[in-house]
Amino acid sequence: MEKLTITLEPLACEACFEKIQNQLEAQDGVGEVAALFEKNELVIQLNTLETSADKLIKFVQELGYNIAKTKVD
């Protein structure tokens, strides 16, 4: 398992974070997703045999959200 942290540009509401979290959790290869509204961060546990950090980053962008930075551990 790999951990991907995505820092988003500030969002106006927590509901947006919940929407992204739910959409990510429905993706193949995604385990736990923590949405940290106060930090503008999503912390995603992913199985690299089924998906990749790049794929999930692109997915969030395709949902219409701007990403400030990413980190893979």
Side-chain angles (χ1 to χ4, degrees):
M1 293 292 268
E2 195 169 80
K3 181 173 82 171
L4 168 63
T5 303
I6 298 176
T7 304
L8 299 171
E9 295 292 328
L11 298 177
C13 67
E14 256 183 274
C16 295
F17 261 83
E18 290 176 16
K19 175 185 172 187
I20 300 167
Q21 181 180 16
N22 292 337
Q23 293 286 328
L24 283 168
E25 288 173 341
Q27 300 301 302
D28 290 336
V30 174
E32 183 179 345
V33 178
L36 308 172
F37 179 70
E38 59 283 343
K39 291 183 168 185
N40 295 313
E41 286 184 351
L42 297 161
V43 181
I44 306 156
Q45 298 294 327
L46 62 127
N47 180 341
T48 55
L49 297 176
E50 296 182 44
T51 192
S52 69
D54 288 340
K55 182 178 177 182
L56 296 177
I57 291 166
K58 184 177 179 183
F59 179 76
V60 171
Q61 291 171 324
E62 288 173 351
L63 289 174
Y65 297 97
N66 295 321
I67 295 174
K69 67 180 179 176
T70 61
K71 179 182 174 187
V72 178
D73 294 315

